[in-house]
Amino acid sequence: MKWRVISNEALHFRSWNDEFVVYNSLSGDTHLLGSATAQILLNLLTAPSDAATLAAALAPFFEVAPTADLPFQIDQLLSELNTLALVEPI
């Protein structure tokens, strides 16, 4: 399953060290994200993607090998971002 951000124009980011704040102007909600979750969201701003592709692209950032567990973990984070109404499946 591929995922995309709900709207590139609606999401506004600020970062401090390893924490990111994203404001969704469509919902009016502000969310505090860890660096891993923020990197997934930032990657999706460039193009829709699936968990396996995100795992391959972000494995160096996470400093891990792209094992079978990484896409599963990214899929869990995508589900959380979906619950926050920041991404949606396509």
Side-chain angles (χ1 to χ4, degrees), residues 20-81:
F20 290 77
V21 174
V22 60
Y23 171 71
N24 180 345
S25 63
L26 295 176
S27 67
D29 293 332
T30 301
H31 305 282
L32 177 64
L33 305 176
S35 62
T37 306
Q39 289 304 317
I40 292 168
L41 193 56
L42 290 169
N43 196 283
L44 289 175
L45 285 171
T46 61
S49 190
D50 59 28
T53 304
L54 287 168
L58 296 174
F61 172 80
F62 297 141
E63 298 179 350
V64 298
T67 63
D69 290 341
L70 188 56
F72 175 76
Q73 293 168 344
I74 288 176
D75 197 46
Q76 295 298 314
L77 292 172
L78 288 165
S79 292
E80 291 176 23
L81 289 169

Side-chain angles (χ1 to χ4, degrees), residues 6-26:
I6 50 131
S7 167
N8 286 14
E9 296 82 27
L11 301 183
H12 307 278
F13 290 86
R14 297 290 182 262
S15 65
W16 296 270
N17 299 321
D18 289 337
E19 294 183 333
F20 290 77
V21 174
V22 60
Y23 171 71
N24 180 345
S25 63
L26 295 176

